């Protein structure tokens, strides 16, 4: 049931509305049912970008501008329901970033949290965060926490392409954006490669760890380890009717989400899996890493393969089918919604 529909407009009421607009006032009764909707009413639309097509366009940008000149050579994935707004969903930004062999994307820092999901490359490109270099392999999930210097480089002979996910629209909503360049290409490196994963990613924590940062101290969740874990877990065949085998990337400090505003997930759908329908209030960006299948999102069906990028809007019904064993990476604003008490899900009848 909707709240009261807008009452009838009369000449008197229209005149009143126009008069009070000069005082920067407006009658709630004309907009109430649009403001406070019975369920999410999103401008975000279901969509899919085919990796092969956006990759060609991104490589063209590689001939048009350098990473240095662009600062970040990125094609923004714009949701077709919100053109020009740099949003992939209502609350999140996504882009595809290209760093060519020998290039550097110079160091800067900003309030926005970023995740990288590596789409392509031979493992010889890196991003540096907090004085530590992390090498980027296909399927790795890598974090840039808020306000940390970060620069990217590619010492390999092959292009590296990754998906960026940032909480740009959330920061816009709160008007909390700060950003600055370092003024040097690269930040000083004072830790060996793999340092954070050794210190925080081996089911060990420093005995007096009391860091209050909200982001996981692990910068990189390598795909090799994630994939192996999924494979070992599948032995039990406990497939959730909606999700198959779905896991959440965790902060080793407390088991919470790896990032404060963006939740990241990975799921395995076995060959032949056909999910029960599902919806939740956190719009999601999904990247199939392996396998082929199709997803019905709202009223549309998308046939996907590796590295395609899909958008599921808030509260849109979603149904997946896997023709082969499939691994899906996804991210959404779920941690923010949970903290604010907004999140809801609907498992259909499952
Ligand atoms: O790599 O630092 O897609 O600052 C957008 C803003 C990437 C980055 C984006 C950024 C970056």
């Amino acid at each position: 049931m909707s709240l009261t529909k807008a009452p009838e407009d009369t000449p008197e009421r229209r005149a009143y509305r126009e008069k009070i607009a000069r005082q920067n006032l407006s009658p709630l009764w004309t907009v109430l049912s649009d403001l406070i909707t019975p369920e999410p009413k999103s401008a975000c639309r279901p969509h899919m970008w085919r990796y092969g097509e956006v990759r060609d366009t991104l490589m063209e940008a590689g001939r048009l501008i350098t990473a240095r000149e662009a600062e970040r050579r990125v094609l923004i994935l714009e949701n077709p329901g919100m053109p020009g707004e740099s949003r992939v969903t209502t609350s999140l930004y996504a882009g595809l970033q290209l760093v060519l062999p020998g290039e550097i994307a110079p160091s800067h820092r900003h309030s926005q949290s970023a995740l990288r999901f590596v789409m392509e490359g031979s493992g010889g490109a890196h991003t540096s965060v907090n004085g530590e270099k992390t090498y980027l392999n296909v399927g790795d999930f890598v974090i840039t926490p808020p306000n940390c210097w970060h620069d990217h480089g590619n010492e390999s002979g092959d292009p590296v392409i990754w998906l960026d996910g940032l909480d740009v629209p959330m920061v816009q909503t709160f008007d909390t954006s700060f950003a600055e360049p370092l003024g040097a290409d690269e930040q000083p490196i004072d830790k060996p490669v793999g340092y954070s994963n050794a210190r925080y990613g081996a089911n060990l924590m420093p005995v007096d760890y009391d860091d209050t940062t909200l982001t996981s101290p692990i910068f990189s969740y390598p795909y090799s380890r994630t994939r192996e874990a999924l494979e070992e877990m599948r032995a039990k065949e406990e497939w959730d009717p909606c999700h198959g085998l779905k896991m959440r990337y965790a902060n080793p400090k407390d088991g919470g989400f790896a990032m404060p505003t963006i939740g990241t997930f990975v799921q395995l759908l076995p060959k032949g899996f056909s999910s029960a329908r599902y919806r939740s209030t956190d719009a999601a960006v999904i990247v199939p890493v392996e396998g082929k299948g199709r997803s019905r999102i709202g009223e549309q069906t998308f046939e996907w393969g590796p590295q395609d990028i899909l958008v599921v809007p808030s509260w849109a019904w979603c149904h997946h089918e896997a023709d082969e064993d499939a691994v899906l990476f996804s991210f959404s604003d779920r941690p923010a919604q949970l903290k604010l008490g907004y999140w809801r899900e609907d498992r259909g009848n499952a």
Side-chain angles (χ1 to χ4, degrees), residues 254-334:
D254 56 7
F257 286 94
M259 304 168 70
T261 51
I262 307 179
T264 48
F265 309 86
V266 66
Q267 74 197 96
L268 178 65
L269 307 178
K271 179 180 160 82
F273 186 78
S274 177
S275 78
R277 64 183 196 149
Y278 177 84
R279 61 181 176 172
S280 61
T281 53
D282 54 324
V285 177
I286 303 180
V287 182
V289 195
E290 295 176 28
K292 282 193 165 60
R294 68 200 55 75
S295 299
R296 184 163 180 79
I297 305 172
E299 302 300 311
Q300 295 180 58
T301 300
F302 302 97
E303 297 278 341
W304 44 256
Q307 270 72 42
D308 291 338
I309 302 160
L310 298 109
V311 176
V312 182
S314 167
W315 216 236
W317 286 109
C318 185
H319 160 74
H320 300 301
E321 290 174 8
D323 298 337
E324 306 164 4
D325 279 1
V327 178
L328 310 182
F329 171 83
S330 58
F331 64 93
S332 77
D333 62 9
R334 192 180 305 184

Side-chain angles (χ1 to χ4, degrees), residues 183-215:
D185 277 355
E186 298 181 280
Q187 65 189 286
I189 297 298
D190 62 4
K191 301 181 191 77
V193 171
Y195 180 83
S196 297
N197 252 309
R199 195 168 162 85
Y200 307 106
N203 292 320
L204 295 167
M205 292 295 276
V207 65
D208 290 322
Y209 186 82
D210 64 351
D211 200 303
T212 54
T213 56
L214 300 173
T215 304

Side-chain angles (χ1 to χ4, degrees), residues 229-242:
L230 289 175
E231 204 55 39
E232 289 178 10
M233 278 183 280
R234 75 179 297 166
K236 291 280 282 179
E237 297 211 7
E238 287 170 315
W239 308 107
D240 179 275
C242 298

